[in-house]
């Protein structure tokens, strides 16, 4: 075995690496330093490119003479080898992808051998530092076939001084990378597990007596009008700390005015007056240049202060809320490899959708990423590369049970829960992993300590709590008291340890509901800000409770906001395909299916309705009506609306524009309200709305001028239903035929057939042509959402998915101008009790119109229903639909902030939303009118109360059966569901249960739907 066993020894983390230090690149001139494009530094040699590569299924198969290996294959660097035909993708969330046997990893541990030649003429007066910014999971480094060193921590920089190994001319660089090491027990993040050199690799040329580290500290006065900037510097020579050198400093303000030119020998200390503050809305940066010898270093500095004061998180003295999102480095083609252009695409989309904060879940991003956040304005929670929640998946002893009802089994659920928590805290309390947890903490803080955007340090994620994290928190507070410290898993208490929370600044939780937030602030003993470090799990059709969370967070000054889970789907392309996959698609086991498809955007950055919902929830202005006037609240923390936002308004009557205009220059200071300077007309009839759309007034950062930031639509009339012109039709006589099984009704060109045994309509025809491919039945099922995964078990147990309608009583009542058929029905499922009892009146009038009037009673103890309505299997010719309702995108009881009441057109194809895993999609709530046309006519739908509808080419059964959207097969029908009510969306795939107010949980209700053919 040619490799030493460092990778299974938690006490050996790094060999011959330089200490963790701040990220920076020196330049040879002021001009190049100011541009801060490191690839153009004279001291920077990028080693990315095509490398020789050999892959071994087991590290023990690595040849003994691997430094003389004859290569036949190539791989790009940076890259994950799973994206280039080696190994396979593997998605697991909690479970470790190998046996839990710390610190050991499997012998069948894949290994990659990298090699390249680079040419160099080393300067004898210089030092040469080899930097790896990201390698998963550990690396052995060899230069000119000599061992240089070893390192781990996949998402942090490993730097080696290779000066003494270099030769003039060609130099051979070999790197051995293992898929797993003991550090993998601390890198159990919820993501696809990929391997290799996935970030930039480069050589830095430094002076022999060089600046290794510096710490820029800023301290603001209480009135935020002045600040002290100090810079602590650390030099090394021959690998040891050395005396400071003379440094020339220059500081310029955000406008480019020089504030300081000085030369010192012991760092810098300066007081500034009349300062310009940095915040995420207006990220103003000072520029600090410092030069010694041949090296020039440029750093951007923002003056800001974050603190907790009287239980409130304050930024530059103002209480703020994080409107944040958790972001992984992820791309369907490049995996963990993320370029600046890819990162900027993410940041632009975030800004365009009104986010102000990012949590680097759950590891440090590339070192230049937080520079972008400094420049474009994001509050960053920088998280250490630690997650070990796989420890809570190990076996916990529990009683054996019996299938026999008469056998009693005592189960102590609380004891099982506590043992699971104790297992969860394994790494947090393990002396064996103490050094590794602290080292990962040091790496995170030291590298990014000079980044203005980093305002919170996070110790890691989901790794339990204990002494190791207490030590880490104490060290962070001592090293950098200017920032806040976060760690959510401090809420878990090991049975043999009393948690010390003294150095943590937040009470942080994930996926709790708004009720828990209310309860927290109802307890006067709770003094820390409450933070949702993860919430609104955006899996599939989700984020139904976004507005509820917003309102709850706004209620409490001590609520610090939160970070939505998560930014993008993790779904790599399947081999030799543009189809995206998830867990299980790559022959990976164990796997967690599509739990990785939980992003606001798809893996290739297509915007989903979840993101649109969040965008409008987080809009910068909010309009409301008060005493017949429109008022605007500025939801920004530091920016007057006059400076940033222009408004276009439309006043409509019955959805038709009556007047519109643009309003610019309304002065609304942050967090205040102002009157909108447009008078509303006095109205006594009709449905009147004012819609205000908010636009970016000037280009700023990543957001272009005239970009839409959100909208409000307010109804200011007492009438809410838009009047619909009724088509007058000639009255025709009603003919009825009846036999033992059916009732046939005809009115002019229109015919109806009813099944007397089931109590439902089996056919509707016009001029003898049938319109239905299957009976018009009552419908309570929906294709389960990802958010239905838990409640679905209750629905299945109650038989909701296989409910069928039957009749108990059937009566025909002839009236002067109509025919009524009264039916008492039940909805039942095999082996289950009755779900619904329905008293139904079918009424056909002399114009051929049909109304279905239902009085429904639900068996009270059954779970809430997914929906209740009727389902049409129309002939495929029915394609063109119009509706008055909430569109254009999908809308639900709890998810409609991104939609407006309007008159829209759609088709079965355009109405379908292609979630990676098929599920309920494309419904529209709050509808007042619907019509659909085919080649031989059409019909309209009316109800006395707003209804919802869904139009699709796919049945709900097909959507529920297929694993991928591109596997769906069209039904051959146009499927129209018209619903009294559709239960809400919520975020229960990983979050609270659906709120009661969004459930169809009434025990009885009345509903009438009217069908009018034309």
């Amino acid at each position: 075995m040619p490799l030493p066993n460092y990778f299974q020894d938690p006490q050996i983390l790094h060999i011959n690496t330089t200490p963790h230090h701040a990220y920076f690149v020196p330049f040879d001139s002021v001009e190049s330093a100011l541009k801060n494009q490191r690839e153009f530094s004279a001291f920077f040699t990028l080693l990315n490119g095509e490398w020789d590569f050999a892959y071994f299924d087991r590290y023990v198969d690595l040849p003994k003479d691997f430094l003389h290996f004859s290569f036949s294959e190539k791989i790009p660097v940076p890259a994950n080898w799973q994206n280039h035909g080696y190994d396979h993708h593997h998605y697991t969330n909690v479970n470790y992808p190998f046996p839990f046997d710390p610190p050991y990893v499997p012998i069948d541990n894949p290994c990659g051998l990298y090699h390249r030649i680079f040419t160099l003429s080393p300067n004898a007066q210089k030092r040469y530092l080899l930097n790896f910014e990201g390698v998963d999971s550990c690396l052995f480094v060899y230069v000119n076939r000599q061992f240089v060193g070893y390192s781990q921590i996949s998402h942090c920089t490993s730097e080696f001084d290779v000066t003494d190994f270099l030769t003039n001319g060609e130099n051979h660089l070999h790197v051995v990378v293992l898929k797993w090491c003991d550090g993998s027990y601390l890198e159990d993040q919820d993501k696809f597990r990929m391997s290799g050199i996935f970030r930039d690799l480069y050589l830095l040329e430094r002076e022999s007596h060089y600046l290794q580290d510096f710490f820029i500290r800023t301290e603001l006065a209480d009135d935020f009008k002045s600040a002290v900037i100090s810079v602590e510097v650390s030099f090394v020579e021959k690998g040891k700390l050395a005396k400071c050198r003379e440094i020339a400093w220059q500081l310029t303000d955000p406008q480019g005015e020089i504030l300081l030119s000085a030369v010192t020998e012991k760092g810098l200390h300066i007081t500034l007056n009349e300062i310009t503050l940095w915040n995420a809305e207006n990220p103003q940066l000072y520029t600090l240049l410092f030069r010694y010898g041949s090296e020039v270093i440029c750093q951007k500095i923002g003056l800001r202060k974050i603190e907790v004061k009287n239980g409130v998180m304050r930024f530059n003295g103002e209480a703020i809320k994080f409107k944040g999102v958790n972001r992984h480095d992820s791309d369907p083609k490049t995996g963990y490899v993320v370029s600046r252009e890819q990162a900027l695409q993410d940041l632009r989309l975030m800004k365009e959708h009104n986010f102000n904060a990012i949590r680097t879940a759950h590891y440090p991003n590339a070192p230049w990423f937080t520079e972008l956040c400094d420049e474009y304005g994001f509050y960053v929670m920088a998280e250490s590369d630690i997650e070990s929640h796989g420890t809570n998946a190990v076996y916990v002893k529990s009683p054996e049970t019996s299938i026999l009802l008469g056998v009693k089994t005592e189960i102590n659920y609380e004891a099982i829960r506590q043992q699971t928590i104790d297992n969860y805290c394994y790494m947090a309390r393990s002396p064996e992993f103490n050094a590794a947890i602290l080292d990962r903490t040091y790496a995170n803080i030291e590298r990014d300590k000079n980044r203005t955007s980093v305002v919170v340090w996070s110790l890691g994620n989901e790794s339990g709590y204990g002494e190791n994290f207490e030590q880490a928190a104490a060290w962070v507070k001592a090293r950098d008291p200017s920032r806040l410290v976060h760690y959510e898993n401090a809420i878990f208490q090991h049975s043999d340890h009393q948690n010390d929370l003294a150095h943590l600044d937040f009470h942080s939780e994930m996926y709790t509901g708004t009720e828990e937030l209310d309860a927290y602030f109802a307890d006067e003993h709770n003094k820390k800000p409450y933070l949702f470090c993860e919430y609104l799990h955006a899996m599939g059709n989700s984020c139904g409770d976004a507005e509820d969370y917003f309102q709850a967070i706004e209620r409490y000054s001590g609520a610090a906001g939160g970070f939505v889970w998560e930014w993008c789907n993790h779904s790599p392309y399947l081999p030799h395909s543009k189809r995206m996959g998830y867990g299980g698609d790559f022959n990976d086991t164990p796997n967690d299916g599509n739990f990785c498809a939980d992003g606001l955007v798809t893996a290739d950055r297509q915007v989903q309705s979840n993101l649109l919902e969040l965008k409008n929830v987080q809009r910068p202005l909010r309009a409301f009506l008060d005493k017949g006037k429109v008022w605007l609240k500025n939801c920004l923390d530091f920016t007057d609306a006059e400076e940033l936002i222009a408004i276009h308004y439309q006043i409509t009557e019955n959805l038709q524009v009556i007047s519109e205009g643009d309003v610019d220059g309304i002065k609304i200071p942050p967090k205040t309200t102002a009157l909108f300077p447009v008078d509303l007309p006095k109205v006594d009839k009709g449905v009147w709305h004012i819609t205000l759309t908010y636009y970016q007034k000037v280009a700023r950062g990543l957001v272009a001028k005239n970009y839409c930031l959100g909208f409000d639509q307010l109804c200011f009339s007492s009438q809410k239903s838009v009047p619909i012109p009724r088509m007058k039709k000639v009255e025709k006589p009603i003919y009825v035929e009846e036999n033992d099984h059916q009732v046939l009704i005809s009115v002019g060109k229109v015919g109806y057939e009813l099944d007397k045994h089931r109590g439902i309509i089996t056919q509707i025809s016009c001029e003898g042509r049938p319109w239905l491919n299957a009976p018009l039945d009552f419908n309570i099922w929906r294709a389960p959402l990802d958010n239905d995964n838990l409640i679905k078990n209750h629905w299945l147990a109650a038989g909701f998915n296989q409910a069928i309608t039957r009749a108990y009583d059937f009566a025909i009542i002839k009236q002067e101008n109509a025919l009524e058929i009264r039916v008492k029905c039940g909805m039942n499922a095999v082996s289950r009790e009755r779900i619904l009892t329905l008293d139904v009146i079918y009424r056909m009038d002399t114009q051929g119109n049909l109304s279905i009037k239902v009085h429904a009673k639900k068996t009270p103890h059954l779970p809430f229903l997914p929906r209740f309505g009727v389902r049409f299997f129309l002939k495929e010719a029915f394609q063109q639909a119009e509706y008055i309702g909430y569109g254009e995108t999908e809308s639900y009881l709890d998810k409609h902030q991104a939609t407006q009441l309007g008159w829209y057109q759609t088709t079965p194809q355009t109405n379908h939303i292609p979630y990676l895993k098929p599920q309920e999609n494309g419904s529209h709530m709050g509808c007042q009118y619907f019509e659909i046309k085919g080649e031989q006519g059409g019909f309209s739908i009316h109800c006395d109360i707003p209804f919802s509808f869904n139009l699709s080419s796919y049945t709900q059964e097909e959507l529920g059966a297929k694993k991928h959207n591109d596997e769906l097969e069209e039904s051959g029908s146009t499927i129209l569901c018209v619903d009294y009510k559709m239960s809400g969306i919520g975020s229960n795939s990983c979050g609270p249960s659906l709120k009661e107010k969004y459930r169809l949980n009434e025990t009885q209700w009345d509903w009438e739907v009217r069908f009018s053919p034309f």
Side-chain angles (χ1 to χ4, degrees):
M1 189 184 304
L3 297 177
N5 201 34
Y6 303 149
F7 59 94
Q8 297 186 108
D9 185 347
Q11 308 314 308
I12 300 177
L13 305 174
H14 311 283
I15 294 177
N16 294 335
T17 58
T18 63
H20 300 303
H21 60 77
Y23 165 73
F24 64 98
V25 171
F27 293 82
D28 66 338
S29 69
V30 169
E31 292 75 19
S32 59
L34 286 171
K35 292 179 182 177
N36 194 29
Q37 294 176 289
R38 65 185 188 181
E39 59 270 25
F40 296 119
S41 169
F43 305 130
F44 179 94
T45 301
L46 189 65
L47 297 177
N48 294 356
E50 290 290 318
W51 284 49
D52 298 321
F53 184 71
Y55 173 81
F56 303 91
D57 287 324
R58 308 185 309 163
Y59 76 94
V60 294
D61 295 331
L62 186 69
K64 289 184 179 180
D65 60 345
F66 65 88
L67 295 175
H68 297 275
F69 187 84
S70 179
F71 292 90
S72 60
E73 297 177 339
K74 300 280 188 179
I75 197 170
V77 171
N80 297 112
W81 66 54
Q82 287 86 353
N83 288 323
H84 293 272
Y86 304 98
D87 198 1
H88 62 83
H89 285 303
H90 189 169
Y91 169 61
T92 175
N93 174 16
V94 175
N95 291 293
Y96 285 114
F98 46 76
F100 182 70
D101 186 23
Y104 303 105
V105 292
I107 293 175
D108 293 340
N109 186 2
C111 167
L113 173 62
Y114 295 79
H115 169 260
R116 74 157 288 169
I117 297 172
F118 63 94
T119 302
L120 190 72
S121 299
N123 185 328
Q125 306 304 313
K126 300 283 189 176
R127 305 301 296 178
Y128 294 87
L129 308 179
L130 182 62
N131 278 260
F132 296 83
E133 290 187 340
V135 180
D136 197 315
S137 68
C138 67
L139 67 158
F140 295 79
V141 179
Y142 304 82
V143 172
N144 292 320
R145 299 185 172 87
Q146 299 179 73
F147 177 65
V148 173
Y150 165 85
S151 190
Q152 57 172 271
I153 310 183
S154 293
H155 296 86
C156 289
T157 302
S158 296
E159 183 180 70
F160 302 87
D161 188 331
V162 295
T163 308
D164 298 336
F165 298 90
L166 297 172
T167 61
N168 190 38
E170 286 191 347
N171 289 267
H172 289 264
L173 174 58
H174 287 82
V175 183
V176 177
V177 177
L178 300 186
K179 183 172 183 176
W180 299 310
C181 67
D182 56 79
S184 301
Y185 285 99
L186 298 176
E187 295 178 1
D188 191 35
Q189 291 95 343
D190 174 12
K191 59 184 173 64
F192 271 87
R193 312 303 171 95
M194 301 185 192
S195 316
I197 303 172
F198 63 90
R199 287 185 183 160
D200 288 346
L201 165 60
Y202 53 88
L203 194 67
L204 285 180
E205 181 182 276
R206 305 299 307 276
E207 298 211 347
S208 59
H209 181 184
Y210 70 92
L211 177 68
Q212 184 178 72
D213 197 12
F214 56 88
F215 195 168
I216 302 171
R217 300 180 187 266
T218 60
E219 184 176 349
L220 276 63
D222 291 341
D223 62 2
F224 300 100
K225 293 181 179 179
S226 63
V228 173
I229 298 177
S230 60
V231 185
E232 304 163 6
V233 296
S234 174
F235 282 83
V236 294
E237 188 172 18
K238 296 180 180 178
K240 296 182 179 179
L241 287 174
K243 67 177 182 178
C244 294
R245 294 180 59 176
E246 185 176 87
I247 302 175
W249 306 88
Q250 178 180 290
L251 179 68
T252 58
D253 68 14
Q255 290 71 44
E257 181 180 344
I258 296 176
L259 304 177
L260 167 78
S261 292
V263 177
T264 71
E265 292 186 354
K266 291 186 178 180
L268 179 68
H269 188 90
I270 179 176
T271 299
L272 301 178
N273 296 308
E274 298 180 4
I275 60 176
T276 301
L277 299 176
W278 183 97
N279 60 67
E281 295 167 15
N282 192 12
Q284 296 291 312
L285 293 168
Y286 290 71
T287 302
L288 180 65
L289 286 165
F290 41 115
R291 181 171 198 156
Y292 71 94
S294 62
E295 295 186 356
V296 182
I297 296 158
C298 179
Q299 292 287 292
K300 297 290 186 177
I301 304 171
L303 300 178
R304 50 95 180 107
K305 180 179 183 180
I306 190 168
E307 61 186 329
V308 173
K309 209 168 186 179
N310 298 323
V312 178
M313 181 180 72
R314 295 188 176 275
F315 194 87
N316 295 344
E318 297 293 332
I320 69 166
K321 314 286 189 186
F322 289 140
K323 297 172 183 174
V325 64
N326 286 272
R327 180 189 173 277
H328 270 285
D329 280 340
S330 181
D331 182 271
K333 181 178 180 181
T334 61
Y336 297 174
V337 182
V338 175
S339 66
R340 284 176 180 262
E341 292 71 27
Q342 289 169 297
L344 280 170
Q345 181 185 19
D346 282 352
L347 296 180
R348 179 176 292 105
L349 282 167
M350 290 176 189
K351 276 291 183 185
E352 289 175 345
H353 292 82
N354 300 317
F355 287 93
N356 69 4
I358 299 169
R359 180 181 180 219
T360 65
H362 300 291
Y363 43 77
N365 288 181
W368 44 259
F369 182 80
T370 44
E371 290 184 330
L372 296 177
C373 295
D374 290 354
E375 180 179 356
Y376 294 111
F378 288 93
Y379 306 116
V380 175
M381 176 185 284
E383 192 150 82
S384 299
D385 196 352
I386 302 174
E387 180 160 1
S388 62
H389 57 173
T391 59
N392 73 10
V394 301
Y395 176 75
V396 174
K397 186 177 180 180
S398 59
E400 297 180 24
T401 58
S402 172
I403 65 169
L404 300 177
L405 192 61
V407 177
K408 296 181 180 179
T409 304
E410 297 288 335
I411 300 178
N412 188 338
Y413 291 103
E414 184 53 38
I416 293 172
R417 177 179 179 273
Q418 186 58 57
Q419 184 58 57
T420 303
I421 291 173
D422 289 356
N423 293 345
Y424 196 16
C425 298
Y426 179 94
M427 295 294 173
R429 302 199 65 216
S430 168
E432 189 174 32
F433 282 87
N434 172 269
I437 287 175
L438 291 176
D439 178 61
R440 289 165 183 265
T441 304
Y442 305 155
N444 182 33
I445 277 68
E446 295 295 354
R447 197 198 71 177
D448 286 352
K449 60 180 177 280
N450 295 321
R451 297 281 62 81
T452 299
S453 55
V454 175
V455 295
V456 181
W457 297 118
S458 182
L459 303 181
N461 188 63
E462 293 182 12
S463 299
Y465 198 65
E467 296 89 334
N468 296 340
F469 286 108
E470 290 168 350
Q471 291 178 40
W475 180 86
V476 174
K477 273 298 184 186
R479 178 64 170 147
D480 181 18
S482 71
R483 293 179 172 96
L484 305 183
V485 178
H486 165 270
Y487 186 63
E488 178 269 342
N489 261 194
I491 63 174
F492 293 108
Q493 179 71 61
H494 192 282
S495 57
D496 294 331
H497 177 73
Q498 181 58 50
N499 288 354
D500 178 1
L501 310 180
H503 300 293
L504 301 178
D505 292 297
F506 298 96
H507 176 86
S508 176
E509 300 217 24
M510 52 176 68
Y511 307 115
T512 47
T514 59
E515 297 80 4
E516 284 79 4
L517 183 70
D518 293 333
Y520 178 83
F521 286 108
D523 186 343
E524 62 183 13
H525 296 98
N526 292 325
K527 303 297 185 184
K528 291 183 178 181
Y530 190 109
L531 180 71
F532 292 104
C533 68
E534 295 176 22
Y535 77 124
L536 279 175
H537 197 256
M539 186 177 178
N541 185 359
S542 188
C543 297
D545 31 19
E547 178 68 11
D548 294 282
Y549 275 107
F550 176 86
Q551 295 295 345
I553 289 167
E554 286 295 304
R555 277 199 294 274
Y556 304 106
S557 60
F563 296 84
V564 174
W565 188 266
E566 65 174 313
W567 176 243
C568 69
N569 286 353
H570 304 249
S571 45
Y573 291 124
L574 294 165
H576 315 296
S577 172
K578 284 298 182 180
R579 297 178 62 230
M580 295 181 191
Y582 51 75
D585 289 336
F586 301 91
N587 296 317
D588 48 326
T589 185
N591 70 76
D592 286 286
N594 70 314
F595 204 69
C596 54
D598 52 4
L600 295 171
V601 295
T602 63
D604 58 353
R605 275 40 180 192
Q606 300 300 307
V607 171
Q608 304 196 99
S609 66
N610 299 341
L611 182 56
L612 297 176
E613 185 78 359
L614 264 294
K615 174 182 178 175
N616 213 46
V617 167
Q618 298 172 167
R619 59 195 181 273
L621 297 183
R622 283 191 165 227
F624 61 94
L625 290 170
D626 186 28
K627 298 177 181 178
K629 302 287 187 181
V630 177
W631 294 80
L632 290 167
K633 180 181 179 181
N634 183 355
C635 299
L636 298 171
D637 296 311
F638 300 100
T639 309
D640 194 306
E642 180 184 35
E643 178 185 338
L644 190 65
I645 299 168
I647 303 172
H648 180 78
Y649 73 90
Q650 285 188 335
I651 295 176
T652 60
E653 179 187 15
N654 299 330
L655 304 179
Q656 301 300 310
V657 176
I658 301 301
S659 64
E660 62 183 312
D662 296 294
V663 176
D664 194 358
I666 306 178
K667 188 170 184 61
I668 317 176
K671 302 178 184 177
T672 66
T673 60
L675 181 66
F676 183 62
V678 173
D679 291 329
L680 300 177
K682 297 190 182 301
V683 300
D684 57 3
K685 63 178 181 178
V687 179
W688 289 79
H689 290 91
I690 181 169
T691 302
L692 300 97
T693 306
Y694 313 120
Y695 293 95
Q696 184 91 359
K697 185 175 176 178
V698 293
R700 178 177 286 184
L702 296 169
V703 182
K705 181 180 179 180
N706 296 326
Y707 185 81
C708 176
L709 299 170
F711 64 87
D712 276 293
Q713 184 184 51
L714 306 174
C715 181
F716 60 92
S717 59
S718 57
Q719 183 177 329
K720 306 301 180 186
S721 295
V722 177
I724 307 297
R726 302 297 187 210
M727 184 183 298
K728 289 188 176 182
K729 295 185 287 185
V730 177
E731 295 190 359
K732 299 286 186 179
I734 302 173
Y735 296 99
V736 182
E737 294 181 31
E738 181 182 6
N739 58 41
D740 290 342
H741 306 292
Q742 286 182 307
V743 178
L744 309 177
I745 303 105
S746 61
V747 186
K749 297 185 293 184
V750 182
Y752 300 98
E753 300 177 15
L754 277 83
D755 185 324
K756 296 173 70 173
H757 305 298
R758 297 190 61 197
I760 59 175
I761 293 173
T762 55
Q763 188 57 264
I764 301 172
S765 59
C766 184
E767 295 182 335
R769 296 185 181 91
W771 280 4
L772 301 181
N773 286 330
L776 171 60
D777 203 350
F778 296 102
N779 185 28
I780 62 172
W781 188 243
R782 71 182 181 195
L785 302 159
D786 291 316
N787 286 335
D788 292 336
N789 279 342
L790 296 177
I791 189 61
K792 178 178 69 175
N793 296 324
H794 297 271
W795 291 346
L796 294 173
F800 290 178
N801 63 314
Q802 52 184 350
I804 57 173
T805 308
R806 62 152 295 175
Y808 303 105
D809 295 310
F810 192 97
I812 300 175
I813 301 172
K814 295 180 179 179
Q815 300 174 343
E816 183 177 351
N817 295 310
L819 177 77
E820 284 191 356
I821 298 177
R822 301 192 174 205
V823 189
K824 189 176 188 66
C825 295
M827 295 195 74
N828 308 296
V830 175
S831 304
R832 302 294 184 261
E833 64 195 302
R834 188 187 302 177
I835 300 165
L836 290 176
T837 301
L838 307 176
D839 290 310
V840 185
I841 301 174
Y842 296 98
R843 187 177 191 274
M844 297 80 171
D845 66 20
T846 55
Q847 295 183 6
N849 301 319
L850 165 70
S851 74
I852 305 174
K853 191 173 184 178
V854 181
H855 177 71
K857 290 183 179 180
K858 180 173 78 74
T859 303
H861 67 273
L862 294 181
F864 71 91
L865 297 175
R867 68 176 353 139
F868 177 77
V870 292
R871 179 163 59 154
F872 295 80
F873 285 77
L874 297 168
K875 296 293 183 181
E876 270 189 307
F878 287 90
Q879 290 288 311
Q880 302 302 319
E882 297 182 29
Y883 66 97
I884 296 175
Y886 283 84
E888 294 180 321
T889 189
E890 59 193 356
S891 57
Y892 296 84
L893 284 176
D894 57 349
K895 181 184 178 180
H896 56 267
Q897 300 300 314
T899 62
Q900 298 180 29
L901 182 67
W903 195 312
Y904 301 100
Q905 296 181 336
T906 190
T907 68
Q909 292 73 32
T910 58
N911 197 60
H912 175 73
I913 297 179
Y915 290 104
L916 185 63
K917 183 177 185 295
Q919 55 198 278
E920 158 61 34
N921 70 85
S923 286
H924 298 275
M925 56 84 69
C927 292
Q928 300 178 17
Y929 175 81
F930 174 89
E931 72 171 44
I932 189 166
K933 299 174 184 177
E935 294 173 356
Q936 282 84 37
F939 62 88
S940 62
I941 298 288
H942 311 261
C943 296
D944 291 332
I945 58 174
F947 61 93
S948 70
F949 83 90
N950 189 305
L951 190 68
S952 179
S953 297
Y954 309 110
T955 66
Q956 57 205 29
E957 292 80 9
E958 175 72 2
L959 290 169
K962 295 298 171 64
K963 292 184 176 181
H964 300 86
N965 181 73
D966 54 22
E967 297 169 356
L968 292 173
E969 296 181 26
E970 293 189 355
S971 64
S973 299
T974 292
I975 311 297
L976 170 64
C977 294
V978 180
D979 294 318
Y980 158 75
K981 194 182 206 180
M982 163 86 76
S983 284
I985 295 299
S987 58
N988 189 225
S989 59
C990 187
S993 299
L994 185 67
K995 291 181 181 296
E996 185 64 33
K997 64 182 178 179
Y998 299 130
R999 298 180 177 201
L1000 175 42
N1001 208 20
E1002 299 98 309
T1003 55
Q1004 56 182 313
W1005 61 89
D1006 293 288
W1007 184 51
E1008 182 176 5
V1009 56
R1010 291 185 291 276
F1011 169 93
S1012 299
F1014 54 80

